[in-house]
Amino acid sequence: MSDTNWWFVDQALVIAVTGALTLGILSGIGGVGRIALTVPLVLFLPGYALVSALFPDEPNDEYQSFDDEKTGLGNPLLVSGGLESIERAILSVVSSVAVVPAVTLFSTATPRGIALEPVLSALAVLTVLLALAAIGARYRCPPDRRFVPALPSGSPFFAPGRPSPYQRVSCRPYNVAIAAGLLLLVVSGGFALANPPQHDGFTEVSVETENVSGETQTMYDSTYSAGERHELNATITNQEHEERTYTTVVMLERVSDDGDDVTVHESTEMDRRTATVADGESRQQTLEITPSMRGDDLRLTLLLYNGEAPAEPTTESAYRTMHLPIEVE
């Protein structure tokens, strides 16, 4: 791979591997396989593409002597262009650790928020764009100065290949420290991917809203006709980290409000429906309502239960409750 005609091969591999890993993760692979696919995509590839775009030239060590007349120094000054392979590898990991949180932070401003698909897609697109930028940067370099990927030979950590008056006596401690640091970072990243922090579970219930305008007084249909059948669409969103079966009960209540407390004088069950909702998904229910009372002191009360609802449902026994003031003509 030392042929100068192959100066772009590593970036082509970055693009191909990024696409393959992204498709593999989005296909639903779980467990250890998911971690194995995610670690290089999160901890190496974005940073490698970024470092390649910033440093497109090959290592070039030259020694320029100080001006003895002005400085009185005879030691050479090392001038280096480009990066060695180990330097690229270390900077790639460090840069990836910086790039991934930035992409995640940006995803909070999107409608979907922090979710696997948008974060992973954005990271993959950014990696591909950086790889293309790296190819362009290398293309603009003189052919004899382009970085060309090559198979490593000998020790990959600080191999003593350059003559230098500042030659270290032993590089073994640095090799061990770098290897241990990279291993710790990979293990930590894998553990974090396998055990993501989870919030306390919750369930949301909402009703279908109308088109909102300047004359809208309520976000739902609040006017009914006695004896006529009406439909109310309720949506249940499950964020409980597991599949749940819910029962929704809709009650028609006549109430009075003295400013401090609401008193229920009369209550009638209109409908009850059961729905099984997978974790992270939503399910819509169509509730049938045929009001038997008239007046403007009425309300619909939606009672959501985990599992079966009792024969006599109440606000106190429900898992979630929603009150909708209505008027029945």
Side-chain angles (χ1 to χ4, degrees):
M1 292 178 62
S2 60
D3 190 343
T4 56
N5 293 328
W6 294 93
W7 53 268
F8 58 87
V9 67
D10 58 333
Q11 300 307 309
L13 287 175
V14 167
I15 295 174
V17 172
T18 297
L21 294 179
T22 303
L23 291 177
I25 296 171
L26 294 179
S27 66
I29 296 177
V32 178
R34 185 189 188 91
I35 296 175
L37 295 177
T38 307
V39 166
L41 185 59
V42 172
L43 295 182
F44 183 76
L45 293 177
Y48 183 78
L50 175 61
V51 170
S52 298
L54 295 177
F55 301 96
D57 51 343
E58 66 178 4
N60 179 31
D61 297 338
E62 300 175 353
Y63 294 92
Q64 176 183 351
S65 300
F66 287 106
D67 189 338
D68 294 339
E69 296 181 357
K70 295 182 178 179
T71 63
L73 300 176
N75 294 329
L77 173 64
L78 177 62
V79 179
S80 177
L83 299 173
E84 294 286 354
S85 296
I86 183 57
E87 296 170 334
R88 288 180 180 272
I90 295 174
L91 282 179
S92 296
V93 175
V94 174
S95 299
S96 296
V97 173
V99 168
V100 173
V103 173
T104 305
L105 180 62
F106 175 77
S107 68
T108 60
T110 63
R112 298 193 61 182
I114 300 179
L116 175 63
E117 289 78 7
V119 172
L120 187 61
S121 300
L123 187 61
V125 170
L126 178 62
T127 302
V128 171
L129 292 177
L130 289 174
L132 293 175
I135 293 176
R138 287 185 189 172
Y139 180 78
R140 291 192 298 269
C141 282
D144 59 340
R145 295 289 298 119
R146 291 174 186 161
F147 173 77
V148 179
L151 296 176
S153 60
S155 174
F157 297 105
F158 295 113
R162 316 181 206 173
S164 171
Y166 308 110
Q167 185 73 31
R168 293 184 178 91
V169 176
S170 175
C171 297
R172 187 179 301 254
Y174 300 97
N175 299 349
V176 174
I178 292 173
L182 293 177
L183 178 62
L184 179 62
L185 181 59
V186 172
V187 172
S188 302
F191 178 80
L193 294 172
N195 302 274
Q198 292 187 340
H199 52 71
D200 294 335
F202 64 93
T203 299
E204 295 179 338
V205 58
S206 60
V207 296
E208 186 178 272
T209 60
E210 295 183 335
N211 293 328
V212 179
S213 65
E215 299 178 357
T216 301
Q217 295 182 351
T218 61
M219 301 292 288
Y220 58 92
D221 188 2
S222 60
T223 303
Y224 293 80
S225 297
E228 293 186 7
R229 178 179 173 275
H230 301 266
E231 292 184 350
L232 179 66
N233 294 320
T235 301
I236 303 171
T237 302
N238 177 12
Q239 300 289 351
E240 301 285 356
H241 310 306
E242 63 181 5
E243 184 179 85
R244 290 287 180 93
T245 298
Y246 300 96
T247 300
T248 306
V249 180
V250 56
M251 309 287 295
L252 176 63
E253 300 175 334
R254 188 181 300 278
V255 298
S256 62
D257 186 357
D258 60 5
D260 295 326
D261 297 317
V262 176
T263 303
V264 178
H265 300 284
E266 188 178 355
S267 178
T268 302
E269 181 176 327
M270 295 283 98
D271 195 8
R272 70 170 59 195
R273 299 294 174 95
T274 301
T276 299
V277 187
D279 177 43
E281 296 186 359
S282 298
R283 176 79 177 272
Q284 187 179 79
Q285 291 180 317
T286 300
L287 304 170
E288 296 183 0
I289 301 170
T290 305
S292 57
M293 310 178 195
R294 287 184 172 88
D296 57 1
D297 56 349
L298 303 174
R299 74 181 183 185
L300 294 175
T301 298
L302 272 64
L303 305 175
L304 185 69
Y305 289 87
N306 276 322
E308 295 293 330
E312 297 183 359
T314 62
T315 302
E316 290 75 18
S317 63
Y319 180 52
R320 292 287 185 268
T321 303
M322 177 182 292
H323 299 296
L324 306 173
I326 64 172
E327 179 181 354
V328 179
E329 300 172 345

